[in-house]
């Protein structure tokens, strides 16, 4: 079942209505379950174990993001290096009349990309 918490007023079941109101407004009001849930959350927030676990999770997520950025940067650098090597090979072919295969080998560029670039201009 899916509930729209913002429509809590339309719920006929009083307990469910109170819970949905709590979810939507974060105000436990008089509902016993919502009051107990709020107290439990507050106690957890004060717990050192919870704080440590929360901090560890944050550090773990930061490590993952840092690793993803590192990998993306390395990938970007590799693509940039490849583009430069392809451009250098194309220049060698066009300006110095060097064989495309030899230019690609010397510039460490993929031959198919050198050929593709040569066909473009």
């Amino acid at each position: 079942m899916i509930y729209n918490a913002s429509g809590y007023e339309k719920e006929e079941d009083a307990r469910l209505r109170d819970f949905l109101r709590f979810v939507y407004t974060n105000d436990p009001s008089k509902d016993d379950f919502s009051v107990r849930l709020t107290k439990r959350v507050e106690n957890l927030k004060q717990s050192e174990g919870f704080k440590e676990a929360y901090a560890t999770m944050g550090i773990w997520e930061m490590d993952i993001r840092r690793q993803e950025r590192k990998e993306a940067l390395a990938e970007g650098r590799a693509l940039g290096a490849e583009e430069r090597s392809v451009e250098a090979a194309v220049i060698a072919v066009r300006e110095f009349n060097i064989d495309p295969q030899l230019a690609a080998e010397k510039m460490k560029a993929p031959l198919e990309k050198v050929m593709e670039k040569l066909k473009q201009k």
Side-chain angles (χ1 to χ4, degrees), residues 9-88:
E9 296 164 332
K10 297 175 186 169
E11 180 57 47
E12 293 177 15
D13 181 332
R15 291 181 69 190
L16 184 54
R17 181 178 52 246
D18 289 342
F19 176 72
L20 291 173
R21 181 184 174 283
F22 170 64
V23 168
Y24 185 69
T25 65
N26 200 27
D27 177 18
S29 68
K30 303 172 234 163
D31 175 37
D32 182 52
F33 176 73
S34 299
V35 170
R36 284 185 295 135
L37 186 58
T38 300
K39 285 180 183 176
R40 180 100 178 201
V41 168
E42 289 304 316
N43 287 339
L44 273 174
K45 285 181 180 178
Q46 301 307 316
S47 162
E48 288 302 316
F50 176 78
K51 287 179 183 179
E52 186 176 320
Y54 185 79
T56 301
M57 184 176 69
I59 291 169
W60 177 72
E61 287 176 349
M62 286 175 19
D63 287 345
I64 289 173
R65 286 189 196 114
R66 189 176 298 120
Q67 183 62 32
E68 288 173 346
R69 282 193 302 269
K70 193 183 221 182
E71 290 170 3
L73 183 58
E75 185 178 329
R77 285 182 175 150
L79 288 172
E82 182 180 274
E83 286 178 19
R84 287 189 300 278
S85 67
V86 168
E87 285 297 324

Side-chain angles (χ1 to χ4, degrees), residues 64-118:
I64 289 173
R65 286 189 196 114
R66 189 176 298 120
Q67 183 62 32
E68 288 173 346
R69 282 193 302 269
K70 193 183 221 182
E71 290 170 3
L73 183 58
E75 185 178 329
R77 285 182 175 150
L79 288 172
E82 182 180 274
E83 286 178 19
R84 287 189 300 278
S85 67
V86 168
E87 285 297 324
V90 168
I91 289 169
V93 170
R94 287 192 176 141
E95 293 188 18
F96 302 107
N97 204 24
I98 295 176
D99 178 63
Q101 185 170 354
L102 179 62
E105 281 178 29
K106 294 296 180 184
M107 299 301 170
K108 296 183 172 91
L111 178 60
E112 61 276 359
K113 290 195 178 185
V114 171
M115 297 304 290
E116 183 180 307
K117 195 78 166 177
L118 285 168

